Amino acid sequence: MVSEHAKAQVLVASNRGPVSYTLRDDGELDSKRGGGGLVSGLSAIGSDADSLWVCAALGEGDREAVVRGIGEPGVRMLDIDPEVHADAYNGIANSVLWFVHHLLYQTPMEPVFDARFRRRWASYEAYNRAFADALAEEAAEGASVLVQDYHLSLVPGMLRELRPDLRIGHFSHTPWAPVDYFRLLPDDIAEQLLRGILGADRAAFLTRRWADAFISCCTEILGGTGGTRIGVHGLGADADFLRRRAHEPDVDQRMAALREEIGGDADRKVIVRVDRTELSKNIVRGLHAFRQLLDEHPEWHGRVTHVAFAYPSRQDLAVYRDYTSQVESVAAQINARYAAPGWMPVLLHVKDDFARSLAAYRLADVALVNPIRDGMNLVAKEVPVVSDDGCVLVLSREAGAYEELGDDAIVVNPYDVSATADALHEALLMDDTERASRTERLAAASTALPPQQWFLDQLEALRKE
């Protein structure tokens, strides 16, 4: 246990931390610093504050760093048994909780909550217990603890039992399932998850819709939210960073390469999407909508290119590998049917490249963001901020960003391929003046709560009586 004077006044807990380690062939460790709202937020509270980030060791390099005692100041990595972590992270968090909150189950066949599920749930409990124990050990008297996301839903309740003096917040970065769907979970598990989050003084969400869904679940299953306050903090884009980064030389180089790939003259339109190949992102239906656009509007042949960046995600799960393959297959089918000399209808890239994504943002005439369900979707907020000449946003009403951006987007039902094709046609035809004015309003709304302020607002709200 650390000495009292070294204990932290502000603590963040998340599965993934701000730094990761890679073990080189020569046995040395390379470290890589991450980004995002939490990293920015912790930097915003200043170096004078005693802060600590508690996270899991996610790979061989991280675990070796823990064993060797290597780490960054203000970060504590937990070397949780790899099998326990795999069961908790992939077996429960990503294969059950993610599916529930994103409404992804094909219910005639799944879910199946059997003995195997119960064994994995025991690992999820152990994983959450490891975080609760570490936070209890590291926190100063009356410290503020911000627990992040569905991986750690049980931590607030566990930590409350260990340290009733702490101010505890939990933030959900995903949607929250409506009560009827949430009740797919076994009754005792549903109750345990809710009571876990209600161990916090304050539970916060990205949108009012997700907060209300959580309240409904608590009311239906537990009779209410008890003394836990509920908050909403709509994470926005970091305009200063994005605009600066989008005009660095490597982005300019990738823009030139993309323009060459797109080909054609200056009148060729560009529809852009940038996603991970998560099941919730709805990439396949987006491709089907583009195919229907070409079917119904041959006047667009040779005049529009769909730039689709679909970066593989969670490829250790078979269902995600299969989905990535389906994305590639549909894109290939469209190109096989429609491609002509000097025109490839779909440009699909599956290797993650942030600079190339920013280049695509700048080139976008239309941004397609059509998730089945999404906690927020920052791509919807980033493209209007970065686009050089303004873009039209085609946005799913099931994205959290719809709450803030819906008035200036063309809104679609993500399951309706025909309506999405019509929306793409409308977007491509929008005149420059209307497109520019919409982009300006979208960019303003998208940057209303940048990452540092998003974090500080949560911290301030947690500290209030």
Side-chain angles (χ1 to χ4, degrees):
M1 182 174 292
V2 293
S3 60
E4 181 63 35
H5 74 274
K7 290 188 177 182
Q9 293 290 344
V10 178
L11 300 93
V12 168
S14 64
N15 176 69
R16 183 178 299 277
V19 63
S20 61
Y21 296 90
T22 303
L23 188 61
R24 299 197 318 236
D25 292 339
D26 64 3
E28 295 300 310
L29 287 169
D30 289 330
S31 65
K32 181 180 179 181
R33 186 85 178 170
L38 289 174
V39 175
S40 298
L42 269 183
S43 67
I45 64 177
S47 58
D48 293 337
D50 295 321
S51 62
L52 180 70
W53 194 317
V54 178
C55 57
L58 298 183
E60 182 185 7
D62 288 355
R63 288 190 290 273
E64 184 63 25
V66 175
V67 169
R68 297 183 190 180
I70 295 171
E72 287 198 6
V75 178
R76 177 174 170 182
M77 271 189 181
L78 306 180
D79 186 10
I80 297 167
D81 180 271
E83 290 187 8
V84 170
H85 183 271
D87 276 351
Y89 182 72
N90 280 331
I92 297 296
N94 289 341
S95 294
V96 177
L97 301 184
W98 180 272
F99 273 62
V100 168
H101 288 315
H102 290 84
L103 316 186
L104 291 176
Y105 279 122
Q106 299 181 53
T107 53
M109 297 297 294
E110 56 185 6
V112 177
F113 296 121
D114 53 10
R116 184 187 188 196
F117 164 78
R118 292 289 173 171
R119 288 193 296 272
R120 288 175 167 176
W121 183 257
S123 292
Y124 183 78
E125 291 175 313
Y127 174 72
N128 277 251
R129 174 63 66 186
F131 272 85
D133 289 344
L135 292 165
E137 178 183 327
E138 298 283 3
E141 184 73 19
S144 298
V145 182
L146 292 163
V147 180
Q148 304 298 311
D149 226 357
Y150 60 103
H151 314 93
L152 302 177
S153 296
L154 304 182
V155 167
M158 293 174 170
L159 184 57
R160 176 67 61 208
E161 292 180 359
L162 295 170
R163 292 288 304 273
D165 61 294
L166 300 178
R167 294 178 182 268
I168 304 169
H170 184 277
F171 193 91
S172 294
H173 294 261
T174 65
W176 192 271
V179 63
D180 287 346
Y181 206 90
F182 187 73
R183 298 201 80 163
L184 289 175
L185 291 166
D187 291 350
D188 62 315
I189 300 299
E191 183 173 335
Q192 192 178 350
L193 284 165
L194 294 175
R195 291 196 185 283
I197 291 177
L198 292 179
D201 297 284
R202 193 169 185 275
F205 300 84
L206 286 164
T207 73
R208 187 73 251 169
R209 181 183 180 187
W210 312 142
D212 288 345
F214 175 77
I215 292 168
S216 294
C217 288
C218 291
T219 301
E220 179 75 18
I221 296 170
L222 302 178
T225 57
T228 301
R229 291 175 286 130
I230 308 299
V232 174
H233 302 275
L235 175 63
D238 187 338
D240 291 341
F241 164 75
L242 287 169
R243 287 172 178 147
R244 181 179 67 253
R245 182 69 183 88
H247 288 86
E248 291 182 0
D250 60 337
V251 177
D252 291 333
Q253 292 167 6
R254 283 160 176 79
M255 279 187 70
L258 268 177
R259 282 199 179 100
E260 186 172 346
E261 276 193 275
I262 293 165
D265 57 30
D267 291 333
R268 183 169 285 175
K269 300 284 189 179
V270 180
I271 299 172
V272 167
R273 78 170 308 135
V274 177
D275 281 308
R276 296 182 302 279
T277 53
E278 291 173 355
L279 307 182
S280 60
K281 299 300 185 182
N282 208 24
I283 301 168
V284 170
R285 285 193 188 91
L287 288 168
H288 285 319
F290 182 66
R291 174 161 53 192
Q292 186 165 332
L293 172 75
L294 298 181
D295 282 343
E296 296 181 348
H297 297 280
E299 67 270 24
W300 287 116
H301 292 191
R303 295 181 53 217
V304 62
T305 296
H306 186 13
V307 175
F309 294 165
Y311 300 142
S313 174
R314 300 174 183 169
Q315 296 298 290
D316 46 351
L317 296 175
V319 66
Y320 284 87
R321 293 195 299 273
D322 292 344
Y323 189 73
T324 302
S325 296
Q326 190 174 6
V327 169
E328 292 174 320
S329 175
V330 175
Q333 290 168 23
I334 295 171
N335 286 335
R337 179 170 179 177
Y338 290 108
W343 177 53
M344 187 65 70
V346 179
L347 295 181
L348 177 68
H349 289 272
V350 295
K351 184 178 180 182
D352 197 349
D353 185 330
F354 183 56
R356 188 174 59 204
S357 297
L358 290 174
Y361 289 178
R362 289 180 59 186
L363 289 170
D365 297 295
V366 178
L368 175 58
V369 180
N370 68 319
I372 292 169
R373 197 167 166 87
D374 219 334
M376 177 55 70
N377 197 295
L378 281 177
V379 171
K381 293 187 168 184
E382 291 170 351
V383 180
V385 172
V386 173
S387 173
D388 280 356
D389 299 317
C391 71
V392 183
L393 176 63
V394 176
L395 179 65
S396 166
R397 68 191 185 196
E398 298 302 317
Y402 165 72
E403 195 165 288
E404 298 166 85
L405 307 184
D407 287 347
D408 289 299
I410 299 176
V411 178
V412 296
N413 172 349
Y415 300 96
D416 191 338
V417 168
S418 295
T420 304
D422 291 343
L424 292 174
H425 181 58
E426 179 186 349
L428 290 167
L429 291 175
M430 187 174 292
D431 67 73
D432 292 346
T433 301
E434 176 70 10
R435 185 175 68 178
S437 62
R438 285 187 183 224
T439 303
E440 184 177 356
R441 293 191 297 271
L442 287 168
S446 296
T447 56
L449 193 62
Q452 286 194 358
Q453 195 58 49
W454 169 80
F455 179 90
L456 293 175
D457 283 2
Q458 291 177 65
L459 185 59
E460 181 182 358
L462 180 59
R463 288 171 165 173
K464 287 182 178 177
E465 292 295 337

